[in-house]
Amino acid sequence: MEVDTSGPVPIPGTLNLENGPISSAQDLIIPNGSATASYSILSHGNSIMPRKPLLPPDPNTSSEDEVPMESEGPSWTNPLVRPELLPTGLCYDVRMRYHCELDPPKDRGDYHPEDPRRIYHIYRELCQAGLYPDPAFNVPIIEKSLHRIRARSATPEEICLIHTIEHYKFVAGTARKTSLNQFPFMEPTDVETGLGDEQLMHLERTLDSIYFNNLSFTSALLSTGGAIETCKAVMSGEVKNAIAVIRPPGHHAECNRPMGFCLFDNVSVAARVCQAEYPELCRKILILDWDVHHGNGIQQAFEQDPNVLYISLHVHENGNFYPPGPYGDHMHCGVGPGLGKNINIPWQTKGMGDADYIYAFQQVVMPVAYNFDPDLVIIAAGFDAAAGDQLGGCFVSPTCYAHMTHMLMPLAKGKLVVCLEGGYNLGSIAKSALAVTRTMKEQAAGDRAFEWRVMNRFHKDFYSLSLRAEDILRSYQKEQLLDKYDMIDLHVLRKKICKSFKHQVLGSINYHKAGPLMVFFHDPNHHQTAGDIDHVVNVQMYDTLSWYREWAIKEGFALIDVNFPNHHYDIDDMDSLTYDKEAEITKRDRERAELAIYLWENYIEYDCSSSSSSSSSRLLGDKALIRKSADPTMHHQSTS
């Protein structure tokens, strides 16, 4: 089937698939077990269906709107399989695109923001990047591609773990129905006919940012069911982590009403199902919501649950940003037993960027998340804070989304699920979702210069609260040299010299006395690893200068030990900080030369009258080095 990428999926009633035109939800119900059916809407109540691996698509017949059929085979749940060897999962179903406007605007550039093309653009980006083998995109496939997770319709029992029966009936009532058995909880009078187009358009005009057609209910069930199956695939060990490319979104849907483009609260329902079906393995769940809008539906669902930690980063504007009101402010921290398990990080204005989000993650999100120690992490991944989004007005880059994902991956032993929420710039959401997916597959999260580039706002606080590994090693070495050789920290007047050299210049206890002096200029200590480099216990440091120090002390030399850091920075002068490798090397060499001159002018002088018979004359000739005054501020003149 040729995919239409020029606009939203056509109005229901004009969709043409291989099995003929679809005019109602009934046409999508294909008997289970049919060998020729492309789709099968599963309805099995609360029973737990055995999970089976999905076969990769046949390269001769598959296309983006075909879902691989289940097949017998070895299970991914084999406990002998190391989790890191499992694939990353992908859930996508073209039928979620059937939820679209009944009367789209005639101007093709003015579609509703919650456009059916959103999920297709993400799926296409993943395929074109070689992450999933769809023959519609003739590109090379990477080793160990994404593992397809089959979406299914959520059952009424699952939906009603979060929503009221009345809410379920209301959404189900928008579809045409001909069989009571296919729509549980519905009365006979409710299923004779569905709402007509005029009634559906009236709902669109009267409800809070919601539109319907007769297939919206079908898409909503698949969206929620897709989130459920994705979470279950991760919890069961079928995949190590997964992304669910689903719509309509869900984090605004409250227990008794749809709102904000959302019909059912996908993430919340999936979390409740995992708690019910994996009571021992999934007791605590972290839901991290980085959608630019506050997830009022998720907060409402779990604000009294001490076993679900909900953290939301969103634009608030003192309650003037959608959804309006104070519910998303920082004062709402949970209710009753759930007190402290709801954390809102409300931005007071639009325009937030990478630095703001990274800073919030480092200072709030990650410390709280590690303390909570979840069994499963679900990201309510709205990409409407991305640069270019017409509703969000923020500037988060794909690299930042990748880094935030990377920071969350160590939690819950890697059990991470990403469920799509908002995001309305087709290019931005595709690039952002690709960056997140690549990170979950343990590909590069971005170039190493990212942390230099993003510090456009909170960089001073960031660096003042962090420690470089080489500074930690130098601090340890300083203690060892003090204990072994009585070497102390020499003062460097840092108004003239780069602050990176603080604590980097050490002198022996006799450095101030006239006599032979040896000065070491060296790079940071080398380190090597054995085994897994992710564990600090396997990192070993070795000091290549220790033998020379011992020899110099034995021979009666005074010592000055100068450690040159690999990277130089100045906390008080970072507003114009950028990262350029060649410029960094040039700057580093200049500052090292400045330090050497500073030491020469303030700590070292030579005496031409020194005897050549001393031990120093054997090394230094007729010019034996001697120490200047102990106060470097009294010697700024050159001695050359």
Side-chain angles (χ1 to χ4, degrees), residues 208-209 252 254 257 259-260 293-296 314-329 332:
D208 184 359
S209 303
H252 290 311
E254 297 185 344
R257 64 166 178 161
M259 59 180 289
H293 302 93
H294 176 238
N296 54 293
H314 54 269
V315 174
H316 187 57
E317 293 185 340
N318 295 318
N320 294 314
F321 198 72
Y322 191 90
Y327 197 50
D329 64 24
H332 285 77

Side-chain angles (χ1 to χ4, degrees), residues 564-583:
F564 283 147
N566 287 323
H567 299 285
H568 297 182
Y569 68 96
D570 191 335
I571 293 176
D572 295 333
D573 185 25
M574 294 175 63
D575 290 326
S576 60
L577 182 64
T578 56
Y579 183 80
D580 182 279
K581 185 175 182 180
E582 295 183 1

Side-chain angles (χ1 to χ4, degrees), residues 202-437:
H202 175 73
L203 287 178
E204 180 178 345
R205 292 190 295 267
T206 56
L207 293 178
D208 184 359
S209 303
I210 289 291
Y211 63 77
F212 288 102
N213 64 45
N214 291 133
L215 294 177
S216 294
F217 177 59
T218 298
S219 295
L221 291 180
L222 286 167
S223 184
T224 305
I228 293 171
E229 288 301 296
T230 304
C231 289
K232 290 174 65 176
V234 171
M235 287 307 305
S236 67
E238 180 179 329
V239 294
K240 62 180 178 181
N241 51 41
I243 181 170
V245 184
I246 55 177
R247 69 173 289 273
H251 73 149
H252 290 311
E254 297 185 344
C255 65
N256 58 354
R257 64 166 178 161
M259 59 180 289
F261 311 159
C262 304
L263 305 185
F264 297 130
D265 191 348
N266 307 319
V267 165
S268 297
V269 173
R272 280 283 186 246
V273 170
C274 287
Q275 285 181 318
E277 297 195 9
Y278 304 95
E280 298 299 324
L281 298 177
C282 191
R283 291 177 293 179
K284 295 191 295 183
I285 300 175
L286 165 63
I287 301 176
L288 189 284
D289 189 343
W290 66 40
D291 190 288
V292 79
H293 302 93
H294 176 238
N296 54 293
I298 302 178
Q299 177 170 312
Q300 181 195 67
F302 297 113
E303 61 184 351
Q304 299 187 56
D305 190 337
N307 294 316
V308 177
L309 172 62
Y310 176 62
I311 304 178
S312 177
L313 302 91
H314 54 269
V315 174
H316 187 57
E317 293 185 340
N318 295 318
N320 294 314
F321 198 72
Y322 191 90
Y327 197 50
D329 64 24
H330 66 285
M331 299 300 293
H332 285 77
C333 305
V335 176
L339 186 63
K341 296 303 189 291
N342 189 93
I343 299 176
N344 288 323
I345 304 176
W347 306 124
Q348 292 304 305
T349 181
K350 295 182 180 180
M352 298 296 130
D354 293 352
D356 306 279
Y357 278 78
I358 293 296
Y359 184 79
F361 257 67
Q362 290 181 328
Q363 300 304 312
V364 180
V365 175
M366 297 313 301
V368 174
Y370 273 107
N371 183 69
F372 182 66
D373 190 21
D375 301 309
L376 173 65
V377 178
I378 305 176
I379 301 177
F383 294 112
D384 40 6
D389 191 275
Q390 60 268 41
L391 297 185
C394 292
F395 303 97
V396 179
S397 69
T399 305
C400 183
Y401 282 119
H403 274 264
M404 291 190 290
T405 303
H406 183 74
M407 294 171 75
L408 293 167
M409 287 175 65
L411 296 166
K413 298 180 180 180
K415 293 184 177 66
L416 174 67
V417 176
V418 177
C419 292
L420 181 66
E421 291 288 349
Y424 310 104
N425 181 297
L426 300 180
S428 296
I429 62 173
K431 297 297 183 183
S432 299
L434 174 62
V436 167
T437 307

Side-chain angles (χ1 to χ4, degrees), residues 121-189:
H121 276 250
I122 293 175
Y123 177 80
R124 182 180 66 181
E125 191 77 18
L126 298 178
C127 293
Q128 290 180 340
L131 299 186
Y132 183 74
D134 191 315
F137 309 96
N138 187 22
V139 296
I141 304 302
I142 67 169
E143 184 180 358
K144 196 163 70 172
S145 60
L146 296 174
H147 175 68
R148 190 72 173 266
I149 298 170
R150 181 175 185 162
R152 63 166 175 84
S153 296
T155 66
E157 292 84 0
E158 290 169 334
I159 296 291
C160 291
L161 290 172
I162 295 296
H163 298 284
T164 64
I165 294 178
E166 290 72 24
H167 177 81
Y168 177 88
K169 287 183 177 181
F170 171 76
V171 180
T174 62
R176 293 193 182 97
K177 297 164 288 292
T178 58
S179 173
L180 179 61
N181 295 330
Q182 293 161 358
F183 294 89
F185 295 172
M186 305 298 289
E187 300 297 332
T189 55

Side-chain angles (χ1 to χ4, degrees), residues 41 46 49 85 265 329 331-332 367 464 486 513 556 586 606:
I41 294 183
N46 288 326
M49 303 267 306
L85 299 180
D265 191 348
D329 64 24
M331 299 300 293
H332 285 77
S464 65
D486 293 327
K513 296 180 180 179
T586 301
Y606 63 90

